[in-house]
Amino acid sequence: MAPKQNYAAVVHGPNDLRLEERSIPEPAFNEVVLEIDCCGICGTDIHFLKEGGFGTQMLVKPIVLGHESSGIVRKVGSSVTHLKVGDRVAIEPAAGCRTCDLCKVGKYNVCLDGRHCTTQKTDGNCSNYFAQYADCCYKLPDHMTMEEGALLEPLAVAVYATRRADIRLGSRVIIFGAGPIGIMCLIAAKAMGATRTVILDLDRVKHRLDLAKKLGVTGAIAIKKDETEDDLIRKIDEVLGGPADRVLECTGSQPGIRTAIKATRNAGRICLVGLGNDDVQLPMVDAISREIEITTAMRFNHDFPAALEIVASGYVDVKPLVSHHFDLKHVKEAFRMASQGEGNKVLIHLVPRDTNNKKKFVN
């Protein structure tokens, strides 16, 4: 039985998260209204909750958190033909305005007037009901669970990052940060053909590195407090057999980016994925003199179809990433656990678990 009310996880300011009732939306002609099944907690959600935002995306009004979700179609707009009531879908939470110059050249992910949730002016979808453009909803095959559908969002981020990094068959890859995005980047890098991989994270989060080992990383390095950049580079070289061809920097930290530059081969490429320090000091003469390419990745860019295909086909398994499950009524505890890094991917269930799964979610 669908809920008759629409409760949402709303952030009002730093450390001020409230469960509030919102009106149930009606679909525009090109939208569907979804009953959200489950929603993952992302690092950007935590930035909004702990610091009130990040970079230029600071809170200007209370907003609903969450953007890693799957749901059931409950209402269909008048012009929607490819979806029907009852369909199980993964939700791409970002869409461009569709008319600006960025959208017209295929860069809707950084459109200035797009509907990107969660951002300072656009609600997320950690709520019982959510309206989204129908073309941003991807029907799930029967054998996929709703949890896997929710995990397509971080996987799409990783797929985009690996494309921006130009990871190819035989690439030697470093991943800085073994949080959910770092782990997804490991999964995507291996799917793209990376043959040797090393992942690094702080010594105090060994549980994340243990997960990376289970997922087949070549080497996992726990960073100790007294280790220098040169110490880490030596360890990386031992695992990879030399400097990296490609790097995915998922921490956004100054030490991570500095070490990434120094550990990359001449003419290699680094993709900055993580949101961390606003300002960093980097060895740019080293990067320039060795012609290291540094690029960035924001959200995803038509990567949901690929993410869906590699999960649906069984080519990759994202289920091990999930560490904790919470009901919506325990949303504050879910965010506390996620913000303290006590697990890997924390999922919030807005309906009882497995309500919409053809088979139970087991990881």
Side-chain angles (χ1 to χ4, degrees):
M1 180 71 68
K4 296 181 180 180
Q5 294 171 304
N6 185 26
Y7 287 102
V10 182
V11 61
H12 285 254
N15 300 310
D16 186 1
L17 180 64
R18 308 177 195 179
L19 198 57
E20 298 179 350
E21 188 172 2
R22 295 285 182 98
S23 60
I24 297 175
E26 290 293 325
F29 71 97
N30 58 349
E31 294 180 338
V32 291
V33 170
L34 304 156
E35 181 187 357
I36 301 299
D37 182 287
C38 57
C39 179
I41 297 177
C42 175
T44 55
D45 296 319
I46 294 170
H47 279 299
F48 273 116
L49 181 58
K50 293 182 70 175
E51 294 104 34
F54 56 92
T56 60
Q57 289 296 322
M58 302 303 294
L59 284 175
V60 294
K61 64 175 184 177
I63 56 169
V64 180
L65 294 177
H67 54 271
E68 302 177 356
S69 300
S70 61
I72 306 295
V73 176
R74 293 304 184 198
K75 292 186 179 182
V76 177
S78 59
S79 68
V80 177
T81 58
H82 72 287
L83 293 173
K84 64 183 185 303
V85 171
D87 281 345
R88 306 158 65 247
V89 300
I91 307 164
E92 180 173 1
C97 71
R98 303 161 191 245
T99 59
C100 72
D101 59 337
L102 288 169
C103 287
K104 287 181 177 180
V105 296
K107 296 296 292 183
Y108 71 91
N109 57 312
V110 288
C111 168
L112 296 174
D113 297 313
R115 185 194 293 181
H116 307 300
C117 64
T118 304
T119 50
Q120 63 181 183
K121 297 180 181 179
T122 305
D123 282 329
N125 51 31
C126 188
S127 56
N128 292 122
Y129 295 95
F130 177 72
Q132 178 62 313
Y133 295 124
D135 62 299
C136 293
C137 298
Y138 296 86
K139 189 173 179 179
L140 299 176
D142 287 348
H143 68 274
M144 275 184 66
T145 63
M146 302 301 288
E147 289 85 348
E148 289 171 292
L151 291 171
L152 291 187
E153 196 276 349
L155 181 59
V157 170
V159 169
Y160 184 48
T162 58
R163 290 200 297 115
R164 295 282 285 171
D166 192 29
I167 292 174
R168 304 179 183 182
L169 182 65
S171 292
R172 295 182 296 188
V173 177
I174 305 172
I175 300 161
F176 285 89
I181 291 298
I183 293 294
M184 283 296 194
C185 281
L186 169 64
I187 291 171
K190 288 169 63 66
M192 290 289 190
T195 49
R196 297 188 190 184
T197 53
V198 61
I199 194 164
L200 301 90
D201 212 321
L202 301 177
D203 184 55
R204 61 181 172 81
V205 290
K206 284 185 177 178
H207 62 281
R208 293 178 171 179
L209 296 172
D210 289 341
L211 176 58
K213 292 175 184 177
K214 291 179 182 178
L215 292 171
V217 72
T218 309
I221 297 174
I223 304 170
K224 298 177 175 62
K225 285 185 178 180
D226 58 349
E227 285 189 302
T228 66
E229 292 173 356
D230 290 339
D231 292 333
L232 295 176
I233 291 166
R234 280 194 295 270
K235 289 185 175 182
I236 291 167
D237 285 353
E238 289 174 5
V239 175
L240 296 183
D245 303 304
R246 303 288 186 262
V247 179
L248 297 165
E249 211 300 315
C250 301
T251 72
S253 69
Q254 178 169 295
I257 303 172
R258 288 181 59 87
T259 307
I261 291 172
K262 293 184 177 183
T264 303
R265 64 173 295 179
N266 289 18
R269 179 178 288 197
I270 299 167
C271 182
L272 305 181
V273 186
L275 298 172
N277 301 127
D278 286 342
D279 298 294
V280 295
Q281 288 186 316
L282 302 177
M284 292 309 299
V285 171
D286 181 33
I288 294 168
S289 63
R290 296 194 295 116
E291 205 170 270
I292 293 171
E293 295 182 53
I294 300 175
T295 189
T296 60
M298 187 61 181
R299 302 185 181 99
F300 26 75
N301 193 306
H302 197 55
D303 296 289
F304 262 73
L308 175 58
E309 177 58 26
I310 60 178
V311 173
S313 67
Y315 190 68
V316 304
D317 184 8
V318 294
K319 295 190 296 293
L321 190 67
V322 179
S323 59
H324 294 84
H325 301 265
F326 289 89
D327 293 335
L328 181 61
K329 64 183 179 181
H330 298 133
V331 66
K332 290 185 179 181
E333 175 61 16
F335 269 92
R336 185 202 64 77
M337 176 167 283
S339 64
Q340 294 184 5
E342 294 182 16
N344 293 303
K345 177 58 66 178
V346 177
L347 286 183
I348 299 168
H349 293 267
L350 292 97
V351 299
R353 288 181 63 182
D354 294 314
T355 296
N356 299 306
N357 288 337
K358 307 296 182 181
K359 62 177 182 178
K360 289 187 176 182
F361 176 80
V362 180
N363 63 330

